[in-house]
């Protein structure tokens, strides 16, 4: 990209240089400087006393502005207001700068004088105006604008001359937005950056952020939405990184009148997939393209390579594909961990399930520490054990849990200082609800969610432990290898349940998700990246139903006895292992050909005449019995 | 209530008797008969051939009409079209009938002749008209209407003279609506009955239903909504018994323009409580009162005494209270099992949770049969055991399950013929979702819901049982007394979880629910009625949190070891016992003062900077650690 323009707004005092300059800078996404701010105190005093400056007074001042322009803003561009009345002054300011442009605000003595008389608090008394007109040498090479025009007219006339449109817009500069913006810039995208202006709360966020990072030297920064949108090359690509919920709708409604047909809006927040579906339709009606993009990897992932799950219009995906793949984490073959998932809400749906899987993986690790504690292990011993597992079957969550167990504060384990009240931001809840709505028994995600809920009632638990003396925690003795097997078993069931939710939703919504490629997208950059996920990439090319894969069936059979025994021991020892228990219980239910649901059907038919099907009628016809004699 | 009117519409042929009579009958909710339908074949033939009837021809016909009126419709009322031209004819029709009224449709020879000439296919040729006018003796005691008026005008003029308004409207005559209608009639309510008219599908439902039941002799029956509404005394009370969902909204929108300020609409279907909340607001804006009423007890309960949970405006509840209490089941003190729960959606909310509790109670009974089967018990032996339990701790569901286990088909147990694929109508799903939204770990309702979901995948289970050979079902040996204790334990936890959902929702929605009275409402009439529920009535007067009640704490402690042991054995034997397991697991989690949720918080802070609270800072302040060194 070429250099940004350095634009001087010149003219006599009172011609409106600051006003026009500020507005022009806002429209161009460039910083604005007022030349008057560079005057030494002596000059200011002189002008205030009504004494005209001499050229001697001016050389130092002009040199200061010139140095600032050369050092600070030469590459980034800027708008600078400076009277620059004589050619000799302008020569100082232009020295060695090629990308300079002059804008001259032209007005007659009478026009300016009338204006000046209306102004208060300005340091230059109107009496000095005549000396300015005496000095004025009209520039031959400037864009000359009559001050008869409104500021808006002048800005509208100038903007197209100087605006170099950017590749990509990023709206919303919170932690994740900032990370992704820098990541985009590192990958060669020139950006328009925008953050809302909230007086006294959020001001100049975009400009300050731009100024703080050299990778943004070619970026434009905005506090106003319209120039932000105008600054992006069409078809525009705008990534929203604002909080999920109403804010997204507000931003969309503000954007729609500013966008052009074919523009692309990407929601990179944790929106609910049903909201994304509704917004897709809303924007489609406006001939705009909407993508709901799941982003995993937290702050670090956003900056260095997240996992990206993109849902939206397949035909316009190629317009953003290369950019998104470039900023994504790289899988083992160097390919971006970014995938087109399916239409409308599919990207946010799989991100939601990702978080559901994450909930259960975290809970299993937490329960592991309970099991190890019940064996009398110290945190260091636990960390040592988990570290050894990393060599066999690693995952990001295993790694960080190992680190956590090792972390000390003044020589005592930090985890002992952490209150056992777990928070949640909603996606686990959403996944459990989506599963219930799809008719799927996602027992592990739900168990993990409910474990967090139970943890929330700390006071209740403390007094209940006193009251329910029958619930006595006992020590258990489980071989480390059996524990490893139980953990692996539970993780397999958890991943099965997670992919099953996605599979069912994909069928129901006609998303046609490529499950293997989704697993690949989750091998790096995201929270649930693991060796197991890498294994699933190939398993999912062979089957869409993991528990029908011969290798996995074999492994599950091998692991089950240790998992079963661990859970039975846990219950006997009154240990709180909801997620391990759910895993074992699930495989039992899954493998029970003849369940007790016949009793449920008989009850339903008895009291509600809900009818039932029969084992001896394969047509699936429904029957009702008059149970009461 | 007085006798219904018997209204004869008289006049010469062609004066519009059938048209006016039909419309008037519809407006009055009365049956309509056409006198011409009582003519013997010989009369019809004579008239068709253009020969006027003689009085000899008429006496038998008039007697037939009179007999029908006296036998069939004297008490119920009716509208009958009959020319009845002479005083002597009318004397035959009036004989011994006090509540008779005459409506005379008056027109000149020319008026009628012009009309007759336009009619096709009528059996009386216009040539006979003169003989009719010759016979006509204008009645001195009739409501005389000129046929110049439109039918609508005539009906509007006549309706107020004859309409005796009813006490209560019932809209929607499905199984539950019919039961409640009869129940209301048995309890002295005169009813207006309405069912929609769907040509060829649902026709004359209300009239046929009325005709089939003598308790409706004073009821009015309608196929049209406007006369139905008009027939109910103000302030109207209308009970909707239509399928939950859009139909309720459609009915409400059709009703609103017909209702008057202060009228009451009651939704007795299984509507979602959030929909009821929205509808309450909608009707409140129209100065109407809306009640969402949970009805439990199935078809039998509707007819003989259901459990009723009423949510809505407290100030207008007294207008319906006596009626609803009269039709409800009676508790042990003879008081109606009907309660005002709270505002807006509260009635439907507690009905939803009722069904959630029901799900888990049913599932526990189903799992009991699995446990007994694993001990080698026959269904008769199971029934025998459960029967013995009924004497100690009975419940409706225990009773019907005992009956079900005993039921034979050609000497083999019927349950063995019932396919183990359980259906669900949504309220269990709704309860699990509401619980997740309220942040409550309702593990047992969810386990029961998920068990039904798992049962749905019969084919998957059958093939998985082959594949997962490690999951080997084994026999178990559990003392019957231990099983009884485990069952009682699980039921206590289930009821605790159910009431906790209601408690939390009551606080969140400011419903101020009387929990003890709610339990009382559930002691009779509903599916979850039980001795335990009766015990909870008094326990809930002492505490809102059942697991803090000293007696229950003591009992739970006594029962826990048997429940714990049952579940541990169940897992060791690979038995599918999700709900028993959830009960035991729940008490463990509930009584674990220090859980592993500190690990979850550390993980969340590690990868997402979500912060955590500390055990050594009682202020609850949040901390963040830079975990990575």
């Amino acid at each position: 990209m070429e250099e940004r323009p350095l634009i001087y707004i010149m003219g006599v005092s009172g011609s409106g240089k600051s006003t026009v300059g500020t507005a022009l800078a806002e429209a161009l996404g460039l910083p604005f400087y007022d030349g008057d701010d560079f005057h030494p105190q002596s000059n200011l005093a002189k002008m205030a006393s009504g004494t005209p400056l001499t050229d001697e007074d001016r050389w130092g001042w002009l040199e200061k502005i010139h140095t600032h322009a050369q050092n600070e803003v030469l590459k980034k561009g800027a708008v600078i207001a400076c009277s620059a009345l004589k050619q000799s002054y302008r020569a100082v300011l232009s020295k060695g700068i090629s990308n300079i442009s002059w804008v001259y605000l032209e007005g007659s003595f009478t026009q300016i004088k009338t204006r000046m008389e209306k102004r208060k608090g300005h340091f230059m008394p109107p009496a000095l105006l005549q000396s300015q007109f005496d000095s004025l040498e009209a520039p031959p090479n400037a864009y000359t604008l009559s001050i008869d025009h409104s500021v808006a007219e002048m800005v509208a006339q100038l903007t197209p001359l100087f605006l170099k449109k950017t590749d990509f817009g990023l709206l919303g500069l919170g932690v994740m937005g900032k990370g992704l913006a820098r990541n985009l810039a590192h990958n060669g995208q020139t950006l328009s950056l925008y953050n809302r202006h909230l007086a006294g709360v959020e001001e100049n966020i975009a400009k300050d952020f731009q100024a703080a990072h050299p990778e943004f030297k070619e970026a434009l920064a905005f506090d106003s939405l319209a120039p932000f949108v105008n600054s992006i090359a069409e078809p525009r690509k705008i990534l929203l990184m604002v909080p999920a919920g109403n804010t997204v709708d507000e931003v969309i409604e503000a954007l729609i009148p500013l966008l052009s047909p074919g523009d692309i809006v990407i929601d990179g927040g944790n929106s609910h997939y049903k909201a994304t579906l509704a917004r897709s339709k809303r924007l489609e009606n406006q001939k705009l393209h909407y993508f709901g993009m799941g982003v995993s990897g937290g702050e670090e992932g956003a900056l260095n390579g997240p996992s990206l799950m993109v849902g939206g219009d397949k035909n316009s995906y190629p317009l953003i594909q290369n950019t998104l793949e470039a900023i994504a984490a790289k899988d083992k073959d160097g390919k971006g961990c970014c995938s087109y998932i399916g239409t409308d809400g599919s990207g946010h749906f799989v991100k939601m399930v990702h978080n559901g899987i994450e909930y259960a993986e975290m809970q299993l690790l937490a329960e592991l520490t309970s099991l190890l504690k019940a064996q009398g292990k110290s945190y260091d011993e636990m960390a040592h054990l988990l570290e050894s597992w990393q060599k066999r079957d690693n995952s990001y969550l295993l790694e960080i849990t190992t680190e956590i167990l090792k972390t000390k504060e003044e020589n005592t384990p930090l985890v002992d200082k952490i209150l056992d009240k777990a928070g949640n931001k909603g996606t686990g809840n959403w996944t459990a609800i989506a599963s219930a709505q799809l008719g799927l028994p996602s027992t592990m995600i739900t168990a993990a969610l409910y474990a967090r809920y139970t943890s929330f009632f700390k006071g209740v638990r403390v007094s209940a432990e006193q009251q329910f003396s029958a619930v006595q925690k006992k020590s258990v003795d489980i071989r480390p290898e059996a524990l490893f097997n139980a953990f692996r078993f539970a993780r397999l069931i958890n991943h099965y349940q997670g992919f099953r939710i996605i599979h069912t939703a994909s069928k129901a919504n006609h998303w046609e998700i490529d499950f293997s490629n989704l697993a690949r997208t989750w091998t790096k950059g995201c929270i649930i990246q693991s060796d197991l996920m890498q294994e699933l990439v190939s398993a999912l090319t062979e089957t869409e139903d993991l528990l029908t894969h011969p290798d996995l069936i074999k492994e599950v059979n091998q692991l089950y006895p240790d998992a079963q025994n661990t859970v039975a021991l846990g219950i006997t020892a009154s240990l709180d292992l909801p997620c391990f228990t759910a895993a074992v219980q699930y495989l039992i239910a899954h493998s029970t050909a003849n369940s007790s649901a016949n009793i449920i059907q008989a009850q339903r038919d008895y009291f509600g005449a809900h009818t039932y099907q029969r084992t001896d009628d394969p047509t699936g016809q429904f029957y009702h019995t008059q149970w009461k004699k």
Side-chain angles (χ1 to χ4, degrees), chain A:
Chain A
M1 180 134 184
E2 292 167 36
E3 284 179 335
R4 300 283 181 187
L6 179 62
I7 304 165
Y8 277 96
I9 313 283
M10 59 156 291
V12 297
S13 184
S15 59
K17 299 186 296 294
S18 296
T19 310
V20 174
T22 304
L24 181 62
E26 178 64 33
L28 296 175
L30 297 178
F32 172 75
Y33 302 96
D34 194 330
D36 285 347
D37 294 342
F38 294 77
H39 271 297
Q41 191 55 43
S42 54
N43 284 6
L44 294 174
K46 215 166 171 181
M47 290 188 280
S49 69
T51 318
L53 297 180
T54 64
D55 280 357
E56 277 312 305
D57 295 325
R58 290 196 179 92
W59 299 127
W61 168 56
L62 293 167
E63 278 296 346
K64 240 174 107 186
I65 298 174
H66 177 250
T67 304
H68 176 76
Q70 251 187 336
N71 295 352
E72 298 294 323
V73 299
L74 192 56
K75 296 277 175 182
K76 295 180 190 170
V79 177
I80 303 179
C82 179
S83 48
L85 299 176
K86 295 189 187 172
Q87 192 59 35
S88 57
Y89 304 166
R90 296 192 287 270
V92 173
L93 295 170
S94 305
K95 202 165 48 192
I97 302 182
S98 61
N99 59 327
I100 203 162
S101 299
W102 295 95
V103 172
Y104 170 40
L105 304 183
E106 187 183 47
S108 69
F109 182 85
T110 318
Q111 276 179 312
I112 305 274
K113 182 161 177 287
T114 312
R115 279 201 191 185
M116 293 287 276
E117 281 164 0
K118 290 181 187 156
R119 283 162 79 177
K120 306 240 179 230
H122 197 266
F123 58 73
M124 182 180 284
L128 289 181
L129 187 59
Q130 188 55 51
S131 77
Q132 298 233 333
F133 270 89
D134 293 346
S135 304
L136 178 63
E137 301 165 11
N141 56 346
Y143 299 99
T144 302
L145 298 171
S146 160
I147 65 168
D148 279 346
H149 294 119
S150 72
V151 173
E153 284 167 342
M154 289 192 260
V155 168
Q157 204 176 328
L158 293 169
T159 301
L161 303 174
F162 297 108
L163 186 63
K164 192 79 193 170
K165 298 217 172 183
T166 62
D167 303 331
F168 215 97
L170 204 146
L171 189 157
L173 296 167
V175 170
M176 293 296 286
K178 283 181 171 170
L180 287 170
R182 294 183 62 195
N183 191 341
L184 283 160
H186 297 157
N187 281 282
Q189 296 290 302
T190 56
L191 294 184
S192 292
L193 301 166
Y194 169 85
N195 196 85
R196 66 176 179 181
H197 179 93
L198 264 186
V201 184
E202 295 178 33
E203 294 185 348
N204 289 317
I205 302 282
K207 288 188 191 350
D208 292 349
F209 175 56
Q210 179 195 25
H213 296 282
E215 59 266 47
F216 293 129
K217 68 172 196 284
E218 297 184 357
L220 304 178
F222 298 90
D223 265 25
S224 302
L225 198 60
F228 163 72
V229 172
N230 185 50
S231 72
I232 306 162
E234 292 182 34
R236 298 182 184 92
K237 295 138 201 166
I238 300 178
L239 174 58
L240 312 185
M241 294 302 299
V242 301
N246 290 342
T247 307
V248 178
D249 291 312
E250 288 163 18
V251 167
I252 286 173
E253 293 310 316
L255 278 175
I256 284 176
L258 305 173
L259 296 173
S260 312
D263 284 354
I264 292 172
V265 178
I266 308 163
D267 175 14
N270 263 333
S271 293
H272 194 277
Y273 73 97
K274 289 184 179 172
T276 301
L277 173 61
R279 290 166 190 152
S280 294
K281 286 190 179 150
R282 169 86 177 102
L283 271 78
E284 204 176 282
N285 290 339
Q286 305 290 320
K287 301 196 194 311
L288 300 168
H289 302 301
Y290 193 67
F291 287 89
M293 179 171 78
V295 179
S296 179
E299 186 176 356
E300 194 191 319
L303 180 59
N304 297 321
S307 169
L308 301 175
M309 300 139 248
V310 192
D313 173 38
K314 195 169 189 171
N315 293 327
S316 45
Y317 179 63
L319 293 171
I320 52 175
Q321 180 173 6
N322 287 345
T323 303
L324 296 178
E325 286 179 357
I327 65 167
K330 299 298 173 282
D331 71 10
K332 71 177 177 52
D333 302 320
K335 201 177 156 196
C337 285
C338 168
S339 293
Y340 175 78
I341 304 297
T343 52
D344 52 72
S346 61
H348 280 137
F349 186 90
V350 300
K351 172 54 167 48
M352 175 188 80
V353 177
H354 166 286
N355 286 24
I357 295 171
E358 176 187 310
Y359 265 56
E361 294 289 295
M362 291 166 71
Q363 177 65 21
L364 287 171
L365 284 158
E367 292 178 21
L368 257 185
T369 67
S370 295
L371 276 160
L372 291 166
K373 204 180 258 182
Q375 303 197 54
K377 296 268 189 290
S378 72
Y379 289 116
D380 281 337
E381 288 169 327
M382 295 183 202
H384 187 71
L385 181 67
L386 299 193
E387 210 150 32
S388 74
W389 291 6
Q390 287 179 28
K391 298 183 190 92
R392 303 171 60 183
D393 189 16
N394 201 13
S395 74
Y396 171 73
L397 284 168
L398 180 64
E399 279 180 18
I400 72 165
T401 306
T402 310
E403 288 305 306
I404 285 164
L405 292 170
K406 282 184 188 169
T407 302
K408 304 281 192 299
E409 188 188 68
E410 294 164 6
N411 288 324
T412 62
L414 178 54
V415 281
D416 269 346
K417 301 286 186 201
I418 296 181
L419 190 65
D420 53 333
K421 270 175 83 164
N424 78 84
K425 306 265 277 183
T427 43
N429 180 332
W430 288 354
T431 314
I433 290 172
S435 171
Q437 288 169 338
L438 287 167
L440 292 174
S442 298
T443 58
M444 293 184 68
I445 289 167
T446 308
L449 175 72
Y450 283 178
R452 290 200 190 182
Y453 285 172
T454 303
S455 81
F456 186 77
F457 300 95
K458 174 77 176 176
V460 172
R461 289 187 284 117
V462 169
S463 71
E465 184 169 283
Q466 295 294 315
Q467 301 291 346
F468 294 102
S469 51
V471 185
Q472 282 186 14
K473 311 270 180 239
K474 293 177 196 143
S475 64
V476 290
D477 187 16
I478 304 173
R479 286 175 304 118
E481 192 60 20
L483 219 49
F484 177 84
N485 289 343
F487 181 55
R488 170 85 179 174
F489 171 86
R491 292 184 63 218
L492 284 173
I493 302 293
N494 180 37
H495 282 72
Y496 166 72
Q497 290 190 354
F499 275 97
R500 194 177 178 209
I501 297 175
I502 294 167
H503 185 265
T504 305
S506 178
K507 296 274 179 222
N509 297 288
H510 311 291
W511 286 332
E512 298 174 1
I513 295 176
D514 178 340
F515 307 107
S516 171
N517 191 36
L518 176 59
R520 185 195 65 75
T521 307
W522 287 345
T523 56
K524 285 287 182 309
C526 70
I527 307 294
I528 60 172
Q529 59 182 282
S530 70
D531 292 348
L532 171 57
M533 193 64 78
Q534 187 64 56
E535 293 173 50
L536 297 185
V537 174
S538 53
L540 285 163
T541 59
E542 290 158 36
T543 176
E544 293 188 346
D545 180 350
L546 289 171
L547 283 190
T548 63
H549 192 285
D551 296 349
L552 288 172
I553 290 172
K554 191 175 162 198
E555 188 180 1
V556 165
N557 274 318
Q558 284 165 348
L559 300 171
Y560 175 73
D562 282 332
Q564 178 188 32
N565 190 46
T566 299
V567 168
L569 286 175
I571 283 173
T572 307
S574 292
L575 297 183
D576 185 21
L577 307 172
C579 229
F580 272 101
T581 307
V584 169
Q585 177 63 59
Y586 184 83
L587 190 70
I588 293 174
H590 183 80
S591 311
T592 298
N594 297 305
S595 77
S596 60
N598 58 336
I599 303 293
I600 305 284
Q601 286 301 80
Q603 291 165 331
R604 295 178 74 239
D605 190 52
Y606 192 111
F607 67 68
H610 291 302
T611 73
Y612 57 84
Q613 293 165 293
R614 287 177 63 105
T615 55
D616 54 6
D617 182 351
T619 68
Q621 198 189 312
F622 285 88
Y623 293 83
H624 171 55
T625 291
Q626 274 298 343
W627 296 89
K628 277 199 185 164
K629 301 294 175 267

